Amino acid sequence: MRHPRASLYQRLKRLGTLSVGLALLAASSAMAAEVNLYTTREPRLIQPLLDAFTQETGVQVNTVFVKDGLLERVRAEGEQSPADVLMTVDIGNLLDLVDGGVTQPIRSETLDAAIPAHLRADDGQWYTLSLRDRVAYVAKDLDVDQLHYEDFADPQWRGKVCIRSGQHPYNTALIAALIAHDGAEATEDWLRGVKANLGRPATGGDRDVARDILGGICDIGLANAYYVGRMKNAEPGTDAYRWGDAIKVVRPSFKASGGTHVNISGAAVARHAPHPDQAVQLLEYLVSDEAQSLYARANYEYPVKAGVELDPVVASFGVLQVDALPLTEIARHRRQASELVDKVGLNQ
Ligand code: FE
């Protein structure tokens, strides 16, 4: 049997025109629909979602993982950039892309229906895909089942609080939200109180808060909820499992609003996207019930779309009452938040 490629080649040769060859090339690339994704998200977290998208739509996803400098890279590529979709964690990083001029506005009824208005741009420049609530890890035997973020500065927790660096985006976003709710002066006092309460320097990662509660170094801490999903679902006998087993989650709220602070993972369509239709298609897929349930079950993140089933561990934390503060308000105060962290020497 003759190789099909040889027969195509021979046919092309017989036709003998370059234009037909080009037309065939164009036709084949139109058939192999693709979309180029630039993402700062960890590959293992996002890959199952992309595989499911390709399976469902036949659209191939070419992924470029960009750890740092996403904005600089897309800017440098300019009009030649192959990027179609830009995906980040942290609202600040996402808005930096918008402010940096590398996104474009889109319209999608599907996205508007799935994502609450305060979790997307009015003009379609960015969209939230999942929620990441910043919660209290509490030693599981402590009789504490309600907290305000403001309580972390209360002297009753002297020497008992663990957090990571105050300059980490997870913390600057939370501190920015405190500024928006309570004002800069009260937030500075809060930071001084938290500093006085630290059981160890503000360093390490979120899971280290659970580790150090197990180790008796602290009783409470601030960290993201999805790590608890990972730890409590880990293999029994592993460190992760033991850390997760030492704590319970209390979802704090701001005194002023009664809501819990969330940050997001989100995405935007790139300004010079070569495949804008597929870019929108990918975003729409990511808010489908199927994809949202993958966010919930594989990543232990909170779905942005209502009514999607949660991982049982995450469900056990109770109802998430999302702080109603617009994400743009949080982003607006994050520089000041970072300055206050330095001013009080939280990390020193
Ligand atoms: Fe994280």
Side-chain angles (χ1 to χ4, degrees), residues 261-280:
H261 171 71
V262 300
N263 207 320
I264 62 163
S265 81
V269 175
R271 180 168 175 198
H272 300 295
H275 312 99
D277 294 344
Q278 285 78 16
V280 174

Side-chain angles (χ1 to χ4, degrees), residues 232-306:
K232 286 190 186 281
N233 281 297
E235 205 65 50
T238 59
D239 280 344
Y241 183 85
R242 290 191 303 123
W243 302 344
D245 192 45
I247 61 163
K248 61 182 176 182
V249 164
V250 175
R251 282 212 179 95
S253 59
F254 296 100
K255 277 185 178 165
S257 77
T260 293
H261 171 71
V262 300
N263 207 320
I264 62 163
S265 81
V269 175
R271 180 168 175 198
H272 300 295
H275 312 99
D277 294 344
Q278 285 78 16
V280 174
Q281 203 181 352
L282 176 57
L283 293 192
E284 289 179 343
Y285 175 76
L286 290 174
V287 298
S288 67
D289 284 353
E290 183 189 351
Q292 286 288 298
S293 143
L294 271 176
Y295 272 114
R297 285 183 290 119
N299 289 0
Y300 308 108
E301 293 181 316
Y302 211 91
V304 72
K305 187 181 194 180

Side-chain angles (χ1 to χ4, degrees), residues 11-78:
R11 254 185 297 153
L12 277 175
K13 208 173 144 192
R14 226 177 303 137
L15 291 166
T17 67
L18 182 61
S19 63
V20 171
L22 283 176
L24 278 173
L25 267 181
S28 77
S29 78
M31 276 185 290
E34 58 179 1
V35 64
N36 300 321
L37 170 68
Y38 282 22
T39 174
T40 64
R41 300 219 65 181
E42 276 179 63
R44 75 187 164 84
L45 294 185
I46 194 72
Q47 199 55 49
L49 287 156
L50 304 177
D51 292 343
F53 170 70
T54 301
Q55 192 130 48
E56 172 134 337
T57 62
V59 177
Q60 158 126 25
V61 185
N62 308 310
T63 307
V64 179
F65 293 106
V66 184
K67 195 165 188 298
D68 295 304
L70 177 60
L71 171 62
E72 291 71 19
R73 174 166 177 162
V74 179
R75 244 197 203 144
E77 289 172 348

Side-chain angles (χ1 to χ4, degrees), residues 41-42 45 89 132 164 168 170 206 224 226-227 230:
R41 300 219 65 181
E42 276 179 63
L45 294 185
V89 291
R132 300 148 64 86
R164 76 191 308 166
H168 190 279
Y170 297 168
D206 277 359
N224 284 353
Y226 55 85
Y227 292 112
R230 289 193 212 165

Side-chain angles (χ1 to χ4, degrees), residues 134 162-166 168 170-171 200 202-206 209 227:
R134 197 143 185 82
C162 279
I163 54 167
R164 76 191 308 166
S165 163
H168 190 279
Y170 297 168
N171 279 336
R200 49 111 164 123
T203 183
D206 277 359
V209 171
Y227 292 112

